[in-house]
């Protein structure tokens, strides 16, 4: 109908080329998505390996939660409260910090699981992204798919980067030594 009415955007010569390209690319849509996700995973795994090296896999020692029970009555703010309630205060602080750490890790876990499920759904719908790119009225839906796919692909490395950055910062309490030690090989001479 577009050709009969003379609408330039529906000229069959332009649409036929797009349609043939989409017909070929649809067969490789899963592979294309897999390659894009694999590149993002390489970056993400790099930061995850950095997290394992920095945190040594021990969040309790890293955040020094085990040291909370060593609160003593030597505080200058309120010695009578510290002497009478220090074990209780230490227990409350330990439980609070452990709960905060657990909620933070569960939030990261939930975000990564939601990302994984969204990517699965988007991979299943990937043939539509290539087919919808043919007609001008449906190109906005293909653009929405690519925006959603790109956002979910990039979310993993960003989450891993900030988790790594927080572990490097907290680390063993000597982030300055870590930075200076690892930057010795990169100094300009």
């Amino acid at each position: 109908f577009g050709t009969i009415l003379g609408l330039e955007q529906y000229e069959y010569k332009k649409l036929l080329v797009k349609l043939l390209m989409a017909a070929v690319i649809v067969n490789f849509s899963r592979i294309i998505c897999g390659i894009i996700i694999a590149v993002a995973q390489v970056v993400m795994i790099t930061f995850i390996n950095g997290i394992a090296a920095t945190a040594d896999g021990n969040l309790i020692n890293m955040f020094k939660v085990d040291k909370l029970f060593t609160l003593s009555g030597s505080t200058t703010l309120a010695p009578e409260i510290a002497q009478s309630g220090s074990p209780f205060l230490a227990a409350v602080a330990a439980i609070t910090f452990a709960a905060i750490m657990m909620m933070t890790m569960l939030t990261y876990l939930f975000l990564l699981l939601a990302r994984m499920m969204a990517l699965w759904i988007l991979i299943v719908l990937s043939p539509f992204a290539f087919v919808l790119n043919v007609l001008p009225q449906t190109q906005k839906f293909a653009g929405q798919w690519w925006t959603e796919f790109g956002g979910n692909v990039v979310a993993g490395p960003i989450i891993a980067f900030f988790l790594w950055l927080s572990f490097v910062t907290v680390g063993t309490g000597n982030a300055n030594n870590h930075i200076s030690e690892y930057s010795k090989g990169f100094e300009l001479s």
Side-chain angles (χ1 to χ4, degrees):
F1 288 112
T3 305
I4 293 170
L5 295 174
L7 299 174
E8 187 177 322
Q9 60 196 17
Y10 289 105
E11 190 176 321
Y12 77 94
K13 290 180 184 176
K14 291 181 182 178
L15 288 180
L16 188 60
V17 172
K18 284 184 175 182
L19 186 63
L20 289 176
M21 290 296 291
V24 172
I25 292 176
V26 161
N27 295 315
F28 300 104
S29 62
R30 183 175 173 266
I31 294 170
I32 292 168
C33 292
I35 290 170
I36 294 170
I37 292 171
V39 169
Q41 285 298 104
V42 167
V43 175
M44 186 173 165
I45 293 299
T46 302
F47 289 121
I48 297 297
N49 289 337
I51 291 169
T54 304
D56 294 327
N58 195 346
L59 292 172
I60 301 298
N61 289 336
M62 186 173 141
F63 290 110
K64 297 182 180 21
V65 174
D66 57 337
K67 304 290 187 214
L68 288 175
F69 284 107
T70 61
L71 290 176
S72 66
S74 63
T75 181
T76 58
L77 296 175
E80 63 280 349
I81 295 174
Q83 289 174 354
S84 64
S86 100
F88 176 74
L89 180 65
V92 169
I95 290 171
T96 303
F97 289 136
I100 290 171
M101 285 186 333
M102 185 179 80
M103 291 305 297
T104 303
M105 291 297 124
L106 287 176
T107 302
Y108 275 113
L109 177 67
F110 173 74
L111 287 173
L112 291 173
L113 286 175
R115 170 189 177 259
M116 188 172 58
M117 289 189 307
L119 284 174
W120 284 345
I121 292 169
L122 289 168
I123 288 171
V124 169
L125 298 175
S126 66
F128 291 118
F130 295 105
V131 171
L132 293 175
N133 212 13
V134 174
L135 296 174
Q137 274 73 23
T138 58
Q139 286 178 351
K140 66 178 179 179
F141 299 117
Q144 288 175 346
W145 183 90
W146 279 106
T147 301
E148 189 71 27
F149 182 72
N152 280 301
V153 166
V154 172
I158 290 173
I159 289 171
F161 169 74
F162 282 110
L163 189 59
W164 170 80
L165 184 64
S166 64
F167 281 180
V168 165
T169 303
V170 173
T172 56
N174 55 1
N176 187 28
N177 294 341
H178 273 308
I179 293 170
S180 65
E181 178 182 326
Y182 291 114
S183 65
K184 286 180 183 176
F186 298 109
E187 290 178 3
L188 298 173
S189 49

